[in-house]
Amino acid sequence: MLCSLETRASALNRISQKRLGELLNKIPGLKDFIIDPVLIKPLERIIGVSQLRFHGIDKIFKLDYGSSIPTTNSQVVYFVQSDLVMAKHICDQINARLRNTDNLSYHIILIPQKLISISNLLEEEGVLGHVTLYGFQWEMIQFDGNILSFQLDSFYRKTFLDQDQLFLPCVARSIWGLQMLYGKPSMTFLQGKYAAIVDQQIDILFESYGKPERELSDISCFVIVDRDIDYPSVLLTPGTYTSLLHEVFGIKSGVLDFSLDTQNSKPRGGRLLSSTEEIYSQIKHRHFSDVFGFLSKVAKNLQELKPTANMNLKDLKRNITQELPNALALKSSLAYHISACEGIIGKMGPRFESTQAAEQRMLEGRGRKENISYIEDCIAMNLGGNLSPLRLLCLQSVTQDGLTVDEINNLKIQYLHAYGYKHLTSFHNLDKLGLLTQQSTLLSNDVTAGALANKVVHAVSLPTRRSTFYSLAQKLKLFPTVKDDYDLKNPKDMSYVFNGAYIPLVCQIVHMLIKREVVPEEVAKMLLNAKVKMDKTNDIAPRTFLVYFIGGVTYSEIAAFYLLEKLTGTQILVAGTSILNGNSLIESCL
């Protein structure tokens, strides 16, 4: 019988904690610990301050690029990302210290690995002899049950935009660690260029470091996909509660960047999102339209828990000692989530319906002029800031095989006038990623003829012409079949995460693998750069999955998998190099 996948995943944090402790113990004596602010929240999920103290950490400082750190111990430990720019700042700090004193020992722990380029930089800056370099890669970090993240927020830009494959071995190592924990699956479904490279590296790791001792795996199917398989799932406006929390406030390492000051009614600090909180566990994957109704019921039930005048002494004592403490915790949680909902409505309300209507038209390949006009309005009126127009532009491009030359040029000029010419590189980056591309001309290669063709495409509606995206969506049934009476509060398919408009592609692939109406090899043939590896022929549909997104996963996809588990009785662990949304994706390109 399979053990709980979530319970076994909790061992990953303990493994990371032990390895980090062993690394810190190699550095003798009391240590000052200087940490990259980006790594604070992920580190908190692995090891606490008291445990750092146990391993010799005395004072903890945030890395400040502009000033030196007032260290108090002879051992100074930097805990930073593997990044050349950051390494240069550290070199400057160390050189400034060396001019005043030379009795300190410096140690730099690079996340997720040591780089030769950083060693060369330290040598060029003249500090290599004073520094000891370490590499540290934590295991996948478990968030709220079935969510695993590598927490490499810079991975998408470095790998997909810069096309630097430096961190792919780290991804392979993380997946190898998962398979050592759960066992090697009998089936692996791969999609994408980077997924294929990582799979080859995993095989090398098995040959070099060994395979799992257990013969039976807790995971029957491992799905590894590149993020660029499904950009619409990132760019679309989400509809579920946690997805909107991420969209509006931001969630970093499972901590929501919103906390209500009950005295001043102002946001402060953050709050760990966990299913151990009763109310959050009930609403985290609900469609937002259903959240207020649920919270109202909770509020009504709390009123019934209040002591009344007709209670006898025994009932009053039970109410005070047993029910009242729980009611106070529920009341605090209720107030928090009501405030968060109000924040979402305040941020999204004015443009939610119009944006959703535009996105629906883009998915269905209609209303091209209307869509472009809406994007122009977003730019002119600054609806959603500088990121929203770019998200819509990219969604229009991805779903319609690009934009015409005139459309791109006109919208680019308007955007640059509104938000500054510093964004010229942003358009280049989006083009490089395939998010904002130019349609190929329909006539000859002659410049004049090409321009004419673009104008014809812009002016004339061609109902018979379907985009590559639309054809694939139809083939995989990514659009829900029933729309008129679709109930977002009681969803029957995964499209509810996008307000009934679209089923996340990877979630649909997993659904097809579960149903086995089409053999896995045929599913792979529907996609580009996809293949299936099976250790042995098995006609039984897999019941346990681990889905790994190279480039990041969204909370919308996590919610869709949650519903799929309920509908099919399967177990699905969702993993990724990070947890992202449309705003963070676009920001990584700026």
Short mmCIF file of all heavy atoms in Angstrom, two decimals, residues 233-265:
data_model
loop_
_atom_site.label_atom_id
_atom_site.label_comp_id
_atom_site.label_asym_id
_atom_site.label_seq_id
_atom_site.Cartn_x
_atom_site.Cartn_y
_atom_site.Cartn_z
N SER A 233 -1.76 29.62 -19.63
CA SER A 233 -2.07 29.34 -18.23
C SER A 233 -1.36 30.29 -17.28
O SER A 233 -1.76 30.42 -16.12
CB SER A 233 -1.70 27.89 -17.89
OG SER A 233 -2.60 26.99 -18.49
N VAL A 234 -0.30 30.93 -17.76
CA VAL A 234 0.39 31.93 -16.94
C VAL A 234 -0.19 33.33 -17.19
O VAL A 234 -0.33 34.12 -16.26
CB VAL A 234 1.90 31.94 -17.26
CG1 VAL A 234 2.65 32.85 -16.29
CG2 VAL A 234 2.49 30.53 -17.19
N LEU A 235 -0.52 33.62 -18.44
CA LEU A 235 -0.92 34.97 -18.82
C LEU A 235 -2.38 35.30 -18.50
O LEU A 235 -2.71 36.46 -18.26
CB LEU A 235 -0.68 35.17 -20.32
CG LEU A 235 0.78 35.04 -20.79
CD1 LEU A 235 0.85 35.00 -22.31
CD2 LEU A 235 1.62 36.19 -20.26
N LEU A 236 -3.25 34.30 -18.48
CA LEU A 236 -4.66 34.54 -18.21
C LEU A 236 -4.89 35.02 -16.78
O LEU A 236 -4.16 34.64 -15.86
CB LEU A 236 -5.47 33.26 -18.45
CG LEU A 236 -5.70 32.84 -19.90
CD1 LEU A 236 -6.21 31.41 -19.96
CD2 LEU A 236 -6.68 33.78 -20.59
N THR A 237 -5.92 35.85 -16.60
CA THR A 237 -6.30 36.28 -15.26
C THR A 237 -6.90 35.10 -14.52
O THR A 237 -7.85 34.49 -15.00
CB THR A 237 -7.33 37.42 -15.33
OG1 THR A 237 -6.78 38.51 -16.06
CG2 THR A 237 -7.70 37.89 -13.93
N PRO A 238 -6.37 34.75 -13.35
CA PRO A 238 -6.87 33.57 -12.63
C PRO A 238 -8.21 33.84 -11.97
O PRO A 238 -8.63 34.99 -11.81
CB PRO A 238 -5.77 33.31 -11.59
CG PRO A 238 -5.18 34.66 -11.33
CD PRO A 238 -5.25 35.39 -12.65
N GLY A 239 -8.87 32.75 -11.54
CA GLY A 239 -10.17 32.90 -10.91
C GLY A 239 -10.26 32.34 -9.51
O GLY A 239 -11.23 32.60 -8.80
N THR A 240 -9.26 31.55 -9.06
CA THR A 240 -9.33 30.94 -7.74
C THR A 240 -8.72 31.86 -6.68
O THR A 240 -7.94 32.75 -6.99
CB THR A 240 -8.62 29.58 -7.72
OG1 THR A 240 -7.24 29.76 -8.08
CG2 THR A 240 -9.27 28.61 -8.69
N TYR A 241 -9.08 31.60 -5.44
CA TYR A 241 -8.71 32.51 -4.34
C TYR A 241 -7.20 32.66 -4.18
O TYR A 241 -6.67 33.78 -4.20
CB TYR A 241 -9.33 31.99 -3.04
CG TYR A 241 -9.03 32.85 -1.83
CD1 TYR A 241 -9.41 34.20 -1.80
CD2 TYR A 241 -8.37 32.33 -0.72
CE1 TYR A 241 -9.14 34.99 -0.70
CE2 TYR A 241 -8.11 33.12 0.39
CZ TYR A 241 -8.49 34.45 0.39
OH TYR A 241 -8.21 35.23 1.48
N THR A 242 -6.48 31.55 -4.04
CA THR A 242 -5.03 31.64 -3.84
C THR A 242 -4.35 32.26 -5.04
O THR A 242 -3.38 33.03 -4.90
CB THR A 242 -4.43 30.26 -3.53
OG1 THR A 242 -5.10 29.68 -2.40
CG2 THR A 242 -2.95 30.36 -3.21
N SER A 243 -4.81 31.93 -6.23
CA SER A 243 -4.23 32.51 -7.45
C SER A 243 -4.37 34.03 -7.46
O SER A 243 -3.43 34.74 -7.83
CB SER A 243 -4.90 31.93 -8.70
OG SER A 243 -4.76 30.54 -8.76
N LEU A 244 -5.52 34.52 -7.01
CA LEU A 244 -5.73 35.97 -6.97
C LEU A 244 -4.93 36.62 -5.85
O LEU A 244 -4.48 37.76 -5.98
CB LEU A 244 -7.22 36.26 -6.82
CG LEU A 244 -8.04 36.06 -8.11
CD1 LEU A 244 -9.54 36.09 -7.82
CD2 LEU A 244 -7.68 37.10 -9.16
N LEU A 245 -4.75 35.91 -4.74
CA LEU A 245 -3.87 36.42 -3.68
C LEU A 245 -2.45 36.61 -4.23
O LEU A 245 -1.79 37.63 -3.97
CB LEU A 245 -3.83 35.45 -2.49
CG LEU A 245 -5.08 35.36 -1.61
CD1 LEU A 245 -4.88 34.29 -0.54
CD2 LEU A 245 -5.43 36.69 -0.97
N HIS A 246 -1.99 35.63 -4.99
CA HIS A 246 -0.66 35.71 -5.60
C HIS A 246 -0.59 36.85 -6.60
O HIS A 246 0.41 37.58 -6.70
CB HIS A 246 -0.33 34.38 -6.27
CG HIS A 246 1.10 34.23 -6.64
ND1 HIS A 246 1.53 33.40 -7.65
CD2 HIS A 246 2.23 34.81 -6.16
CE1 HIS A 246 2.84 33.47 -7.75
NE2 HIS A 246 3.29 34.32 -6.87
N GLU A 247 -1.67 37.02 -7.37
CA GLU A 247 -1.73 38.05 -8.40
C GLU A 247 -1.70 39.46 -7.80
O GLU A 247 -1.00 40.35 -8.29
CB GLU A 247 -3.02 37.86 -9.21
CG GLU A 247 -3.20 38.83 -10.34
CD GLU A 247 -2.68 38.30 -11.66
OE1 GLU A 247 -2.18 37.16 -11.70
OE2 GLU A 247 -2.76 39.03 -12.65
N VAL A 248 -2.46 39.66 -6.73
CA VAL A 248 -2.66 41.01 -6.18
C VAL A 248 -1.60 41.37 -5.14
O VAL A 248 -1.04 42.47 -5.18
CB VAL A 248 -4.07 41.12 -5.57
CG1 VAL A 248 -4.25 42.46 -4.85
CG2 VAL A 248 -5.13 40.97 -6.65
N PHE A 249 -1.31 40.45 -4.21
CA PHE A 249 -0.41 40.77 -3.11
C PHE A 249 0.98 40.16 -3.26
O PHE A 249 1.97 40.71 -2.79
CB PHE A 249 -1.01 40.31 -1.78
CG PHE A 249 -2.36 40.89 -1.48
CD1 PHE A 249 -3.49 40.08 -1.46
CD2 PHE A 249 -2.52 42.24 -1.25
CE1 PHE A 249 -4.74 40.61 -1.20
CE2 PHE A 249 -3.77 42.78 -0.99
CZ PHE A 249 -4.88 41.97 -0.96
N GLY A 250 1.03 38.99 -3.88
CA GLY A 250 2.29 38.27 -4.00
C GLY A 250 2.45 37.25 -2.89
O GLY A 250 2.13 37.52 -1.72
N ILE A 251 2.88 36.05 -3.24
CA ILE A 251 3.16 34.98 -2.27
C ILE A 251 4.60 34.54 -2.49
O ILE A 251 4.97 34.13 -3.59
CB ILE A 251 2.21 33.78 -2.46
CG1 ILE A 251 0.76 34.22 -2.27
CG2 ILE A 251 2.55 32.67 -1.48
CD1 ILE A 251 -0.26 33.14 -2.58
N LYS A 252 5.41 34.63 -1.45
CA LYS A 252 6.81 34.26 -1.53
C LYS A 252 7.10 33.14 -0.55
O LYS A 252 6.93 33.30 0.65
CB LYS A 252 7.71 35.47 -1.24
CG LYS A 252 7.53 36.62 -2.23
CD LYS A 252 8.39 37.81 -1.86
CE LYS A 252 8.19 38.95 -2.86
NZ LYS A 252 8.98 40.15 -2.47
N SER A 253 7.49 31.99 -1.09
CA SER A 253 7.78 30.82 -0.27
C SER A 253 6.62 30.47 0.64
O SER A 253 6.81 30.14 1.82
CB SER A 253 9.06 31.03 0.54
OG SER A 253 10.17 31.20 -0.30
N GLY A 254 5.41 30.56 0.11
CA GLY A 254 4.23 30.21 0.88
C GLY A 254 3.74 31.28 1.82
O GLY A 254 2.76 31.07 2.54
N VAL A 255 4.40 32.44 1.86
CA VAL A 255 4.03 33.54 2.76
C VAL A 255 3.34 34.63 1.94
O VAL A 255 3.93 35.17 1.00
CB VAL A 255 5.25 34.11 3.49
CG1 VAL A 255 4.86 35.30 4.37
CG2 VAL A 255 5.92 33.02 4.33
N LEU A 256 2.10 34.93 2.30
CA LEU A 256 1.34 35.98 1.63
C LEU A 256 1.83 37.34 2.10
O LEU A 256 1.90 37.60 3.30
CB LEU A 256 -0.15 35.81 1.92
CG LEU A 256 -1.09 36.88 1.35
CD1 LEU A 256 -1.04 36.89 -0.16
CD2 LEU A 256 -2.51 36.66 1.85
N ASP A 257 2.15 38.20 1.16
CA ASP A 257 2.68 39.53 1.49
C ASP A 257 1.55 40.50 1.81
O ASP A 257 1.39 41.54 1.19
CB ASP A 257 3.52 40.05 0.31
CG ASP A 257 4.35 41.27 0.70
OD1 ASP A 257 4.54 41.49 1.90
OD2 ASP A 257 4.79 41.99 -0.22
N PHE A 258 0.74 40.11 2.80
CA PHE A 258 -0.37 40.96 3.23
C PHE A 258 -0.74 40.55 4.65
O PHE A 258 -0.95 39.38 4.94
CB PHE A 258 -1.58 40.77 2.31
CG PHE A 258 -2.85 41.41 2.82
CD1 PHE A 258 -3.08 42.76 2.63
CD2 PHE A 258 -3.80 40.66 3.50
CE1 PHE A 258 -4.25 43.34 3.10
CE2 PHE A 258 -4.97 41.24 3.98
CZ PHE A 258 -5.19 42.59 3.77
N SER A 259 -0.76 41.51 5.55
CA SER A 259 -1.19 41.23 6.91
C SER A 259 -1.93 42.45 7.42
O SER A 259 -1.49 43.58 7.25
CB SER A 259 0.00 40.92 7.82
OG SER A 259 -0.45 40.59 9.13
N LEU A 260 -3.08 42.22 8.06
CA LEU A 260 -3.92 43.34 8.48
C LEU A 260 -3.55 43.80 9.87
O LEU A 260 -3.52 43.01 10.83
CB LEU A 260 -5.39 42.92 8.45
CG LEU A 260 -6.40 44.05 8.69
CD1 LEU A 260 -6.37 45.02 7.52
CD2 LEU A 260 -7.78 43.49 8.89
N ASP A 261 -3.25 45.07 9.98
CA ASP A 261 -3.06 45.71 11.27
C ASP A 261 -4.46 46.07 11.78
O ASP A 261 -5.11 46.98 11.27
CB ASP A 261 -2.20 46.97 11.12
CG ASP A 261 -1.84 47.59 12.46
OD1 ASP A 261 -2.67 47.49 13.39
OD2 ASP A 261 -0.76 48.18 12.58
N THR A 262 -4.93 45.35 12.79
CA THR A 262 -6.31 45.53 13.24
C THR A 262 -6.55 46.90 13.85
O THR A 262 -7.69 47.38 13.90
CB THR A 262 -6.68 44.44 14.27
OG1 THR A 262 -5.70 44.45 15.31
CG2 THR A 262 -6.69 43.07 13.61
N GLN A 263 -5.50 47.55 14.32
CA GLN A 263 -5.67 48.86 14.93
C GLN A 263 -5.71 49.96 13.87
O GLN A 263 -6.53 50.87 13.91
CB GLN A 263 -4.55 49.14 15.92
CG GLN A 263 -4.60 48.22 17.15
CD GLN A 263 -3.49 48.53 18.13
OE1 GLN A 263 -2.56 49.26 17.83
NE2 GLN A 263 -3.62 47.98 19.33
N ASN A 264 -4.80 49.87 12.91
CA ASN A 264 -4.70 50.93 11.90
C ASN A 264 -5.29 50.54 10.55
O ASN A 264 -5.33 51.34 9.63
CB ASN A 264 -3.23 51.34 11.71
CG ASN A 264 -2.63 51.84 13.01
OD1 ASN A 264 -3.24 52.62 13.73
ND2 ASN A 264 -1.43 51.37 13.33
N SER A 265 -5.72 49.26 10.44
CA SER A 265 -6.27 48.74 9.18
C SER A 265 -5.32 48.95 8.01
O SER A 265 -5.72 49.32 6.92
CB SER A 265 -7.63 49.39 8.88
OG SER A 265 -8.55 49.05 9.88
#
